[in-house]
Amino acid sequence: MSPSQRPADAGPESALYQEVQHFYGRQMRYLDEARAVEWSRTFTEDGVFTANAHPQPSTGRAEIAAAARKAADQLAEQGIQRRHWLGMLQVDEQADGTVRARTYALIVSTPRGGKAAVHLSCSCDDLLVRQADGNLLVKHRTVERDDLRTGQ
Amino acid sequence: MSPSQRPADAGPESALYQEVQHFYGRQMRYLDEARAVEWSRTFTEDGVFTANAHPQPSTGRAEIAAAARKAADQLAEQGIQRRHWLGMLQVDEQADGTVRARTYALIVSTPRGGKAAVHLSCSCDDLLVRQADGNLLVKHRTVERDDLRTGQ
Amino acid sequence: MSPSQRPADAGPESALYQEVQHFYGRQMRYLDEARAVEWSRTFTEDGVFTANAHPQPSTGRAEIAAAARKAADQLAEQGIQRRHWLGMLQVDEQADGTVRARTYALIVSTPRGGKAAVHLSCSCDDLLVRQADGNLLVKHRTVERDDLRTGQ
């Protein structure tokens, strides 16, 4: 079997994997460019963002946008450019047609005139759902900061 | 020629590139989640793992699993979450049907309650072979830590 | 709509996204391996490399190769291995058939016998054009170091 001979479902799986990569490329750029409303629209209307660093989840686009806006304002005041890298993507289609997408997240911070450095390392676990217009959106995101993990 | 008009072999090459990315997403997660046996099964039965940081290669799944287990136990004791990022993938099909896959490796460490930081930067050079079931496995891996390089 | 049912143009877009990833995997390896001439040939004959860290752009392959050669020689003298990671790719086909490709760039440096660390965080904004032989080349690259940004 040559490398190009993959199982028959390779095509769609391949397209989905790339689609999720591209989705994240666009999505995290919204966050890092302080485009809070566009960021919130990459979540479903009832989207949930939960994190082990947050006392409670953000629920719905208004809360998700407000949290992003607040974080962006603080970074702007401090003169910090932050970049969220998602990588090492693993994509699993669920039986119900939703998509589980797991990534590593590396957050890099650079103060104006200062030194770039790793800010945080996290895992990111998404439930993505396809909309009527064909686009994927995040229905549920769980971000776990590695420094705040409890068990092993 | 428009961007979508690529050479006729674009499809299979594209699928292979994505497949290797996905393979690494799954594989390195096994390592970072201390799933040593599953990690070892991403290598062929006679797989070889060689590194400029190791006095000698690990050969075969039992040795590869044992090395991963030992490293995972040490990290658990120290309360360190490690993440292996592979990126900047270059894939080359060989004439014999095997696949040479080269990546950059960035290893990020986070102590519990501490600060995430780059641990090591390496290159990773794999020989991948397709199995009868259609899956790719690592037959030979060479990891070179950048800090231990000798020549330039 | 199942995850595999994407708009009809998913195939070409998917192939292009992967193609640009692979192009960057090869291209940045030329830079990091001090292969200055091969690096310069990933730009068009009249390619332009502009950066907020440079007083003026490099224009044409000879200037681009010379700049890479000079940087590589300095790193070799200092015994530093540098790695350029491009990620979080966003690809947009323009109406004229050119491709705008935006990435985050993370530059990692490792001194021989020393500690790997993030050197710089940047954005990279490319205009790619397809050649008669079917390959993509960089016609214009803009690199912005995050530490040198002025406005917000």
Side-chain angles (χ1 to χ4, degrees):
Chain A
M1 194 180 254
S2 95
S4 61
Q5 290 175 301
R6 305 179 59 221
D9 64 344
E13 195 208 306
S14 180
L16 178 63
Y17 190 87
Q18 171 278 318
E19 182 186 8
V20 175
Q21 287 187 317
H22 207 171
F23 173 77
Y24 286 145
R26 296 187 195 277
Q27 183 194 36
M28 303 313 284
R29 203 166 257 107
Y30 289 142
L31 185 63
D32 294 333
E33 293 177 352
R35 295 158 74 178
V37 171
E38 285 156 295
W39 157 257
S40 72
R41 288 183 183 148
T42 63
F43 290 80
T44 58
E45 286 281 2
D46 61 348
V48 175
F49 187 118
T50 177
N52 65 353
H54 299 173
Q56 42 191 343
S58 298
T59 304
R61 288 180 177 168
E63 278 188 33
I64 289 170
R69 170 56 52 202
K70 189 177 163 190
D73 286 349
Q74 289 175 339
L75 291 170
E77 255 183 65
Q78 300 168 294
I80 290 173
Q81 175 68 50
R82 195 156 281 172
R83 296 197 181 276
H84 289 75
W85 290 64
L86 299 185
M88 303 308 285
L89 173 64
Q90 179 174 351
V91 168
D92 293 292
E93 270 192 64
Q94 313 291 308
D96 63 0
T98 61
V99 176
R100 186 168 176 206
R102 279 173 280 193
T103 48
Y104 289 0
L106 189 70
I107 309 177
V108 178
S109 278
T110 311
R112 197 175 295 133
K115 192 87 191 77
V118 171
H119 175 59
L120 291 171
S121 170
C122 311
S123 64
C124 177
D125 193 338
D126 278 352
L127 183 71
L128 305 175
V129 292
R130 194 172 296 284
Q131 304 302 293
D133 64 3
N135 290 317
L136 291 173
L137 294 179
V138 180
K139 188 176 176 61
H140 196 282
R141 170 166 293 182
T142 303
V143 173
E144 303 264 330
R145 275 172 47 176
D146 288 338
D147 58 324
L148 301 181
R149 276 163 210 282
T150 48
Q152 252 310 2
Chain B
M1 193 181 256
S2 95
S4 60
Q5 290 174 303
R6 304 179 59 221
D9 65 342
E13 193 209 306
S14 179
L16 178 62
Y17 190 87
Q18 170 278 319
E19 183 186 8
V20 175
Q21 287 186 318
H22 208 170
F23 173 77
Y24 286 145
R26 296 187 195 277
Q27 183 194 37
M28 303 313 283
R29 204 165 256 108
Y30 289 143
L31 185 62
D32 294 332
E33 293 177 353
R35 296 157 73 178
V37 172
E38 285 157 294
W39 158 257
S40 72
R41 288 183 184 149
T42 63
F43 291 80
T44 59
E45 286 282 1
D46 62 349
V48 176
F49 186 119
T50 178
N52 65 352
H54 299 173
Q56 42 190 342
S58 298
T59 303
R61 287 181 178 168
E63 279 188 31
I64 289 170
R69 171 56 54 203
K70 190 178 164 190
D73 286 349
Q74 290 175 339
L75 291 171
E77 255 182 65
Q78 301 168 293
I80 289 173
Q81 175 68 49
R82 196 156 281 173
R83 296 197 181 278
H84 290 74
W85 290 65
L86 298 184
M88 302 310 285
L89 173 64
Q90 178 172 352
V91 168
D92 292 293
E93 271 192 66
Q94 312 291 306
D96 63 1
T98 61
V99 176
R100 185 169 178 206
R102 279 172 280 193
T103 47
Y104 289 0
L106 188 70
I107 309 177
V108 178
S109 277
T110 311
R112 197 175 294 133
K115 192 88 192 77
V118 170
H119 175 61
L120 291 171
S121 170
C122 310
S123 64
C124 177
D125 193 339
D126 278 353
L127 183 69
L128 305 177
V129 292
R130 194 171 296 284
Q131 305 302 293
D133 64 4
N135 290 318
L136 291 173
L137 294 178
V138 179
K139 189 175 175 60
H140 195 283
R141 171 167 293 183
T142 304
V143 174
E144 302 264 330
R145 275 173 46 177
D146 288 339
D147 58 322
L148 301 180
R149 277 163 208 283
T150 48
Q152 246 319 354
Chain C
M1 193 180 254
S2 97
S4 60
Q5 290 175 302
R6 303 179 60 221
D9 64 343
E13 193 208 307
S14 180
L16 177 63
Y17 191 87
Q18 171 278 319
E19 183 187 8
V20 176
Q21 287 186 317
H22 207 169
F23 173 77
Y24 287 145
R26 296 188 195 276
Q27 184 195 35
M28 302 314 283
R29 205 166 256 108
Y30 289 141
L31 184 63
D32 293 333
E33 293 176 353
R35 296 159 72 179
V37 171
E38 285 156 295
W39 157 257
S40 73
R41 288 182 184 149
T42 63
F43 290 80
T44 59
E45 287 282 1
D46 61 349
V48 175
F49 186 118
T50 177
N52 64 353
H54 299 173
Q56 43 190 341
S58 298
T59 302
R61 287 179 176 168
E63 277 188 32
I64 289 170
R69 171 54 53 204
K70 189 177 165 191
D73 287 348
Q74 289 176 339
L75 292 170
E77 255 182 67
Q78 300 169 293
I80 289 173
Q81 175 68 50
R82 195 156 281 174
R83 295 197 182 278
H84 290 75
W85 290 65
L86 299 185
M88 302 309 286
L89 173 63
Q90 178 173 351
V91 169
D92 293 293
E93 272 192 63
Q94 313 291 308
D96 63 0
T98 61
V99 175
R100 186 169 177 205
R102 280 172 281 192
T103 48
Y104 289 0
L106 189 70
I107 308 176
V108 177
S109 276
T110 311
R112 197 176 293 134
K115 192 88 192 77
V118 171
H119 175 59
L120 290 171
S121 170
C122 310
S123 64
C124 177
D125 192 338
D126 277 353
L127 183 70
L128 306 176
V129 292
R130 194 172 296 284
Q131 304 302 293
D133 65 5
N135 290 317
L136 291 173
L137 294 178
V138 179
K139 188 175 176 62
H140 195 283
R141 170 166 293 184
T142 304
V143 173
E144 302 264 329
R145 276 173 46 177
D146 288 338
D147 58 323
L148 300 181
R149 274 162 212 282
T150 47
Q152 248 318 354

